[in-house]
Amino acid sequence: MMEEVKEAASVLSVHDDSIRVTEVLKDGDTLTFIIVSQKLSGTGEYHVDRTYEDFEWLQQHLFSQEDVPGIQGVIFPPLPAKPQVNASSRSIKQLGFLALGECQPYCKALEAFLQQVATHTILSKNKAVEVFLTSSDPPGRQKVKKNIFNRLSQAVEEMRKEGHKDVDEFFQNERDHNLVLTGCTKTAAEKFLDVVATEQKIAVACGHFSTALHLCVEPGEDPDKQAFSRVCVKLSEVFESIKKNMTSVAENNVNTLGLGLDLESRYQEAEREMLFRRTCKLVELENARRNAEKAKPVKKAAMEEVKKAAETEFEQISGVAKQEIERFQGARVEMLQQALVSWCEKQLLTAKESADQFNQHLEVFRGMA
């Protein structure tokens, strides 16, 4: 059964960089995503369909590998919030760029999630990843259970530990750095989202004005009315071009830098959660040491065992966490660089196409003078 999938030191049978979420199918309120990946054997492709609940199933299996040493030190690739067919204002705020009505950005976000999981040296070994990408049968649709990897917002009783001073300067500096970056990235994403929303409003307004200009067209033989009507028709075409240009600019913004900032923001949160889990383990270790020191002779041996186990677990988590932070720092720079380069290339192409179109409009107006 799918629900009984366990982790195994296996190699994926697909090229991790070939994983694509190619389309989404709507059936009422249910969204089904089509995932395509190239077989390592070179004999074709895997085509599977997955719902958002399937993605949650995969994430649950990745989270629940408690017997993998240092697993809590992993910066888990962040899964986007659940998409909404008829999104409320609250879900739109939560989804940000992924709630602008187009399916492509959300498919790209899920695609990035799968690629990050498939390229991860620890997570890709979980058999659930292979099953998710290659099995024609749907994974378990059971309700996701809460576990030790609940999000920070779900761990209110533990929040007092977040400000606990670290014993390792490397991690204390990383926590301080992450706190600043998390806020800055979130603000940058929100401001850029405001820009896109404004561009979309301008595009809609231009479309309305283009349509309204046709109301000024008057029939008849009067030369002045005919000339005025021609100007209105031409102006309508100009504003229709502006609408298309602004729509393209907004789409470019979403599909390049918008997605880049969204992923960066979610990854910063994922790192923050990892650092918080480690801090909680640090508090547990310090408590275990105090308990061992104060233990009465009859309980001394047992408390020492608890302390040693806590020390071993903390060292494993810290070791994995350091590797994860180093990997993440390089990966996030590359991701943002790709987003910025793609953003510039797309907008340059759009600007050139629009400039050619506006030059043609200008020549027509000169001919009407």
Side-chain angles (χ1 to χ4, degrees):
M1 294 292 292
M2 291 284 190
E3 288 83 350
E4 298 173 351
V5 169
K6 302 295 182 183
E7 67 277 355
S10 61
V11 178
L12 294 178
S13 61
V14 305
H15 290 283
D16 50 55
D17 59 353
S18 74
I19 300 170
R20 297 287 181 268
V21 179
T22 57
E23 60 179 310
V24 57
L25 307 176
K26 295 182 181 180
D27 182 12
D29 290 340
T30 302
L31 299 177
T32 302
F33 301 92
I34 308 302
I35 303 167
V36 179
S37 55
Q38 297 285 335
K39 295 182 180 180
L40 273 179
S41 61
T43 57
E45 297 177 332
Y46 287 108
H47 289 247
V48 297
D49 58 277
R50 299 289 183 252
T51 64
Y52 185 81
E53 287 68 28
D54 296 331
F55 280 88
E56 288 186 317
W57 173 89
L58 174 60
Q59 189 180 53
Q60 174 70 22
H61 276 279
L62 299 178
F63 281 173
S64 60
Q65 303 178 88
E66 296 180 31
D67 56 343
V68 176
I71 188 67
Q72 293 192 52
V74 170
I75 301 175
F76 287 89
L79 181 65
K82 185 175 182 178
Q84 303 291 328
V85 176
N86 297 307
S88 64
S89 57
R90 181 179 178 181
S91 61
I92 288 176
K93 183 176 181 180
Q94 186 180 20
L95 284 166
F97 288 101
L98 307 182
L100 294 179
E102 296 295 333
C103 295
Q104 184 184 6
Y106 198 87
C107 287
K108 285 292 183 183
L110 290 178
E111 184 178 290
F113 166 76
L114 290 176
Q115 290 178 352
Q116 292 294 327
V117 169
T119 56
H120 198 283
T121 54
I122 296 176
L123 302 182
S124 61
K125 294 178 182 178
N126 189 303
K127 188 62 179 175
V129 182
E130 173 76 8
V131 168
F132 185 90
L133 293 171
T134 65
S135 176
S136 57
D137 297 325
R141 301 277 169 88
Q142 77 277 18
K143 187 176 181 180
V144 176
K145 298 177 183 179
K146 292 184 178 181
N147 55 60
I148 57 174
F149 296 113
N150 285 339
R151 300 185 66 81
L152 289 175
S153 58
Q154 298 171 317
V156 178
E157 72 280 1
E158 299 282 2
M159 289 302 290
R160 60 185 177 79
K161 297 178 183 178
E162 192 172 24
H164 188 83
K165 186 170 179 59
D166 212 293
V167 295
D168 189 321
E169 186 178 359
F170 171 84
F171 283 104
Q172 185 62 55
N173 290 338
E174 188 65 21
R175 284 165 57 183
D176 295 340
H177 189 58
N178 171 263
L179 182 62
V180 174
L181 272 182
T182 299
C184 290
T185 306
K186 184 178 180 181
T187 299
E190 290 175 348
K191 296 298 183 184
F192 198 60
L193 182 59
D194 289 341
V195 171
V196 172
T198 301
E199 289 167 343
Q200 291 178 330
K201 290 176 182 177
I202 292 173
V204 171
C206 287
H208 290 329
F209 188 51
S210 175
T211 302
L213 281 168
H214 281 278
L215 299 176
C216 300
V217 175
E218 296 184 41
E221 300 298 325
D222 188 323
D224 290 337
K225 288 184 177 181
Q226 289 181 348
F228 180 71
S229 294
R230 285 195 298 272
V231 170
C232 288
V233 169
K234 194 59 200 174
L235 275 175
S236 174
E237 294 176 2
V238 171
F239 275 93
E240 185 64 25
S241 293
I242 296 174
K243 172 193 171 184
K244 291 179 180 177
N245 170 65
M246 197 58 67
T247 300
S248 294
V249 168
E251 289 177 353
N252 292 343
N253 282 339
V254 171
N255 292 320
T256 56
L257 187 55
L259 281 177
L261 288 172
D262 171 76
L263 183 58
E264 166 76 0
S265 180
R266 288 187 286 114
Y267 248 118
Q268 289 293 347
E269 287 288 348
E271 187 196 22
R272 183 185 176 199
E273 291 171 14
M274 180 278 288
L275 291 168
F276 178 60
R277 292 194 297 268
R278 182 187 165 278
T279 301
C280 290
K281 287 299 175 182
L282 172 60
V283 174
E284 289 181 23
L285 172 58
E286 291 175 348
N287 290 337
R289 284 172 173 168
R290 280 194 294 270
N291 291 337
E293 289 175 3
K294 297 177 181 178
K296 295 180 180 179
V298 67
K299 293 184 178 181
K300 190 74 172 177
M303 290 295 98
E304 284 293 332
E305 287 300 316
V306 172
K307 184 188 76 170
K308 289 179 181 178
E311 287 174 341
T312 298
E313 185 179 13
F314 182 70
E315 288 173 1
Q316 290 172 339
I317 292 172
S318 297
V320 171
K322 281 191 176 182
Q323 294 176 355
E324 285 285 285
I325 289 170
E326 291 173 0
R327 180 189 63 81
F328 172 58
Q329 288 175 343
R332 61 176 290 271
V333 170
E334 184 177 350
M335 286 188 295
L336 277 176
Q337 182 185 45
Q338 291 176 349
L340 285 166
V341 170
S342 180
W343 178 47
C344 292
E345 290 175 345
K346 288 277 187 181
Q347 297 297 29
L348 278 172
L349 181 60
T350 297
K352 290 176 181 177
E353 292 174 348
S354 298
D356 291 339
Q357 187 70 43
F358 291 144
N359 280 332
Q360 293 175 21
H361 288 312
L362 181 59
E363 289 302 316
V364 172
F365 271 111
R366 284 172 174 166
M368 295 169 63

